[in-house]
């Protein structure tokens, strides 16, 4: 790389070097004419002019040729030979034409020669072998002539010329070092520029730089793709904006001012982001429309189902009462009982679906108050559905001084659904146990826990999913649960049955209602900040476990721990059906 730069520099300096040599020779010919022999002086000047003219002619002939990629040492050696020839002509000519006894003429020759040497050092400093060859051949004969001349006046001239020559050598060395540093700096700058251009070309954004006159300094491939042709500098503003660029394309543009008054602009293709935003808006609008449609459907279902069901139940009760009064046969009474039971079951299911939809939509409206958990559980057990003849409900193990802040109606719904599921799972025989207390360890420390255990059928995967409330994802889809009421369900019938095949249509409707009831209970627990889980018990059966957060639970003071009428609240109450 250094040799290439030296050769390029040499080629660039050939015209100036040749013209300077020729002009100096002609000027010295004019000044020495009459002081030195005419013929030798003319031949000397003609030799310098001829050599310089030949170099200039070679330059003009070859100036249109492309430079080779790799420069060998041969052209530089040839340049050194030419430097030796020209330096020898100058040195030998000055030594031969040195006027003896003419101090003014001698000084004139020495000054012209010194100026020529200084010019060569200035022009060819990056080529030390060229400058050194010229200085040796040009100044060597002059030193010999000065030393050989008699008289003491030549000693100061010789000393001054030695100092001048040393200065020229140091200047040539300094110029070469400066040239090398400049080449290295240029190489580093070119490498940095190349790396910058490569980085800009690989960038995923369009990039362009303009100077203060609005002319393009650099731009990458994407900028040329987005803005073909000769781009115009953007309007003088600073900031970012998103705008359409052609059909179906959006660009996020950023424009900034540089410290020198230029402009830097960056454009990013955000078409996919815009398409995603449009898709999200469409999905949101579709979800809003679906929610509105669901609300409309629930409103219609509330009116279209409740009203006929109430009428069916009412007329069925009339038929049943007439059958019991002896006004109809036994089969009519049996059919009336079936109508009443199934109608009430379907009405309860519809009410649960509507209640669940309100909770999930955030439209649940309740009135929170502080209630005695022990008393609420006792009332729920007292109002629970009658179990089979072999089902036993064990004593309730729950402290009487535990108070919880809840919506009374919501809590009663949760307890009713859990007890209904437990009693139904036991079938004709089994045991239901309700136990509660304060959470003493774990993330729910200080909260209130309550479990409803039964020895009936283990919970199905559908039941466990319906009761799951962790992170709010367990509110089972009521439409799926409603559809399940008309088809086969998991084994939630009596203990010892073979599964869904043993369930009649009434049992299937009851199983579907239980699924919806569990989803409603889970939603109400999540609404109060608690959670509900339904798992299989270790010894068989199922365990429903619910927890209220600590901020909703407190103990009643000892002096106020009395029930209505001043009677103490028992800590253990036994309920048996």
């Amino acid at each position: 790389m250094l040799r290439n730069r030296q050769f390029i520099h040499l080629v660039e300096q050939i015209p100036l070097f040749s013209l300077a040599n020729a002009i100096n020779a002609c000027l010295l010919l004019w000044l020495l004419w009459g002081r030195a022999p005419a013929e030798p002086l003319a031949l000397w000047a003609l030799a310098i002019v001829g050599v310089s003219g030949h170099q200039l002619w070679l330059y003009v002939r070859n100036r249109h040729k492309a430079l080779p990629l790799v420069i060998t040492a041969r052209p530089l050696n040839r340049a050194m030979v030419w430097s030796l020839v020209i330096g020898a002509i100058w040195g030998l000519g000055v030594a031969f034409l040195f006027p003896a006894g003419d101090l003014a003429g001698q000084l004139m020759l020495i000054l012209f020669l010194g100026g020529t040497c200084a010019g060569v050092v200035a022009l060819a400093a990056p080529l030390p072998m060229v400058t050194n060859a010229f200085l040796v051949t040009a100044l060597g004969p002059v030193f010999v002539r000065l030393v050989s001349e008699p008289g003491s006046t030549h000693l100061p001239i010789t000393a001054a010329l030695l100092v001048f020559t040393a200065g020229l050598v140091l200047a040539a060395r300094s110029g070469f070092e400066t040239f090398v540093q400049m080449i290295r700096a240029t190489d580093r700058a070119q490498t940095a520029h190349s790396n910058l251009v490569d980085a800009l070309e690989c960038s995923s954004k369009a990039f362009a730089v303009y100077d203060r006159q609005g002319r393009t300094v650099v731009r990458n491939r994407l900028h040329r793709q987005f803005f073909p042709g000769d781009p115009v500098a953007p309007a003088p503003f600073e900031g970012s904006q998103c705008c359409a660029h052609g059909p179906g394309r959006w660009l996020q543009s950023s424009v900034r001012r540089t410290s020198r008054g230029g402009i830097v602009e960056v454009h990013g293709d955000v078409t996919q982001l815009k398409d995603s935003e449009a898709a999200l808006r469409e999905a949101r609008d579709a979800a809003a429309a679906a929610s509105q449609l669901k609300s409309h459907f629930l409103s219609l279902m509330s009116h279209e189902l409740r009203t006929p069901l109430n009428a069916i139940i009412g007329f069925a009760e009339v038929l049943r009462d007439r059958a019991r009064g002896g006004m109809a046969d036994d089969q009519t009474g049996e059919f009336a009982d079936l109508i009443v039971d199934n109608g009430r079951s379907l009405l309860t299911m519809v009410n649960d679906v509507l209640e669940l939809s309100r909770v999930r939509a955030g439209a649940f409206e309740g009135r929170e108050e502080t209630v005695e958990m022990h008393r609420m559980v006792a009332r729920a057990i007292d109002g629970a559905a009658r179990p089979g003849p072999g089902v036993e409900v064990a004593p309730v193990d729950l402290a009487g001084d535990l108070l919880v802040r809840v919506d009374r109606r919501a809590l009663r719904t949760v307890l009713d659904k859990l007890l209904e599921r437990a009693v139904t799972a036991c079938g004709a025989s089994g045991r239901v146990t309700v136990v509660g207390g304060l959470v003493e360890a774990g993330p729910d420390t200080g909260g209130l826990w309550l479990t409803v255990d039964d020895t009936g059928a283990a919970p199905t995967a559908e039941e466990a999913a319906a009761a799951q409330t962790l992170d709010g994802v367990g509110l089972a889809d009521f439409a799926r649960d409603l559809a399940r009421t008309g088809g086969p369900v998991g084994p939630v019938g009596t203990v010892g049955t073979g599964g869904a095949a043993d369930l009649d249509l009434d049992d299937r409707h009851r199983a579907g209602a239980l699924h919806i009831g569990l989803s409603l209970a889970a939603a109400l627990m999540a609404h109060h900040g608690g959670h509900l889980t339904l798992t299989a018990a270790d010894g068989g059966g199922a365990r429903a476990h619910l927890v209220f957060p600590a901020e909703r639970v407190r103990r009643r003071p000892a002096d106020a721990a009395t029930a209505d009428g001043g009677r103490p609240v028992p800590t253990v109450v036994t309920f048996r059906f």
Side-chain angles (χ1 to χ4, degrees):
M1 183 62 69
L2 177 60
R3 188 179 296 167
N4 290 9
R5 298 294 180 85
Q6 287 177 324
F7 181 76
I8 293 173
H9 180 82
L10 176 64
V11 171
E12 291 175 350
Q13 301 302 325
I14 284 177
L16 185 60
F17 182 75
S18 301
L19 290 175
N21 270 326
I23 291 173
N24 285 339
C26 294
L27 184 59
L28 192 58
L29 174 65
W30 177 69
L31 291 175
L32 293 180
W33 191 263
R35 291 189 176 187
E39 293 181 1
L41 180 62
L43 291 175
W44 170 78
L46 183 61
I48 292 180
V49 172
V51 172
S52 300
H54 179 70
Q55 288 181 332
L56 189 60
W57 175 75
L58 291 176
Y59 170 79
V60 172
R61 188 186 68 174
N62 298 323
R63 63 191 177 94
H64 295 298
K65 292 183 178 180
L67 294 176
L69 296 178
V70 179
I71 303 298
T72 62
R74 183 178 179 182
L76 297 181
N77 294 334
R78 189 184 301 122
M80 184 181 65
V81 172
W82 277 106
S83 178
L84 287 172
V85 172
I86 296 175
I89 294 174
W90 270 99
L92 293 175
V94 170
F96 179 78
L97 298 174
F98 204 73
D102 187 359
L103 183 61
Q106 294 174 0
L107 292 176
M108 185 184 302
L109 282 173
I110 292 174
L111 290 176
F112 260 93
L113 182 60
T116 302
C117 291
V120 171
V121 170
L123 295 176
L127 297 95
M129 54 184 181
V130 174
T131 56
N132 293 335
F134 186 86
L135 291 178
V136 170
T137 55
L139 296 177
V142 178
F143 278 114
V144 174
R145 181 63 185 270
L146 287 175
V147 173
S148 63
E149 283 288 326
S152 60
T153 58
H154 296 96
L155 294 178
I157 297 175
T158 303
L161 188 59
L162 282 174
V163 173
F164 178 73
T165 303
L168 290 179
V169 172
L170 293 177
R173 180 178 179 181
S174 177
F176 175 71
E177 293 177 352
T178 303
F179 179 75
V180 172
Q181 293 177 0
M182 181 182 66
I183 289 177
R184 292 175 179 173
T186 303
D187 291 341
R188 288 194 296 267
Q190 289 180 350
T191 301
H193 181 268
S194 178
N195 293 336
L196 177 61
V197 170
D198 291 342
L200 293 179
E201 290 296 330
C202 296
S203 175
S204 60
K205 295 186 178 181
F207 181 90
V209 179
Y210 305 90
D211 59 14
R212 64 175 60 190
Q213 284 79 27
R215 294 171 299 191
T216 304
V217 177
V218 63
R219 60 178 184 151
N220 63 354
R221 172 184 54 83
L222 281 180
H223 195 277
R224 293 190 295 271
Q225 178 181 341
F226 291 161
F227 306 95
D230 189 10
V232 180
F237 83 97
E238 292 190 18
S240 299
Q241 62 180 1
C242 186
C243 57
H245 182 74
R249 172 173 287 176
W250 289 83
L251 295 181
Q252 181 71 33
S253 303
S254 176
V255 179
R256 294 290 186 273
R257 284 282 186 182
T258 64
S259 58
R260 296 186 177 182
I263 297 177
V264 177
E265 62 172 352
V266 180
H267 305 277
D269 192 344
V270 293
T271 304
Q272 292 184 353
L273 181 60
K274 283 290 184 180
D275 293 342
S276 299
E277 291 179 354
L280 287 176
R281 284 194 297 268
E282 292 178 0
R284 182 189 60 191
D285 296 341
S291 177
Q292 185 178 4
L293 182 62
K294 184 184 72 174
S295 300
H296 181 64
F297 165 74
L298 293 176
S299 177
L300 290 177
M301 187 173 67
S302 175
H303 174 73
E304 298 296 334
L305 292 181
R306 282 179 169 177
T307 302
L309 282 175
N310 287 327
I312 292 172
I313 294 172
F315 285 113
E317 288 177 345
V318 172
L319 291 175
R320 183 186 59 187
D321 294 341
R322 294 183 63 183
R324 291 176 179 175
M327 301 177 64
D329 54 19
D330 295 339
Q331 192 174 22
T332 301
E334 182 180 355
F335 290 163
D337 288 336
L338 290 175
I339 294 174
V340 171
D341 292 341
N342 284 277
R344 286 177 177 174
S345 176
L346 186 57
L347 181 60
T348 301
M349 188 187 307
V350 171
N351 290 332
D352 289 347
V353 169
L354 295 174
E355 188 73 8
L356 177 61
S357 66
R358 282 194 292 268
V359 175
R360 294 189 62 179
F364 177 78
E365 296 180 359
R367 185 175 66 87
E368 292 188 355
E369 56 183 307
T370 301
V371 300
E372 297 179 2
M373 194 63 181
H374 181 278
R375 190 178 299 276
M376 289 296 297
V377 174
R379 290 178 178 174
I381 293 177
D382 185 57
R386 295 296 174 181
V391 177
E392 176 187 3
V393 179
V396 179
D397 187 1
L398 183 64
D401 60 346
L402 293 179
L403 306 178
V404 60
R405 179 172 53 84
V406 294
D407 179 76
R408 183 186 295 270
R409 185 174 61 87
L411 177 59
R412 179 60 185 270
T413 300
V414 172
L415 296 175
D416 288 346
K417 299 305 177 184
L418 297 181
L419 289 172
E420 181 184 2
R421 192 265 163 207
V423 170
T424 303
C426 288
S429 62
R431 179 183 178 87
V432 179
T433 305
V434 182
V435 182
L438 292 178
V439 180
E440 298 180 355
D444 297 320
T445 300
L448 187 146
W449 62 272
L450 190 71
T451 61
V452 179
D453 296 337
D454 65 77
T455 59
T460 63
E462 290 83 359
E463 287 181 307
Q468 180 62 254
T469 62
L470 184 60
D471 296 330
V473 298
L475 308 184
D477 194 303
F478 66 87
R480 180 193 63 198
D481 294 330
L482 184 60
R484 188 183 292 115
T485 63
V489 295
V492 294
T494 59
V495 176
T497 60
D502 296 330
L503 299 177
D504 58 12
L505 184 59
D506 181 66
D507 290 332
R508 295 179 181 178
H509 280 282
R510 185 178 296 109
L514 290 177
H515 286 300
I516 297 176
L518 289 174
S519 295
L520 177 59
L524 292 174
M525 285 300 298
H527 177 77
H528 286 81
H531 56 85
L532 167 65
T533 57
L534 181 64
T535 58
D538 295 337
R543 165 169 291 183
H545 182 78
L546 58 87
V547 177
F548 288 94
E551 59 267 18
R552 290 184 173 272
V553 181
R554 65 182 179 88
R555 284 188 179 274
R556 185 174 51 197
D559 55 353
T562 58
D564 296 340
R567 292 181 287 106
V569 177
T571 57
V572 178
V573 180
T574 301
F575 295 88
R576 185 181 300 275
F577 295 102

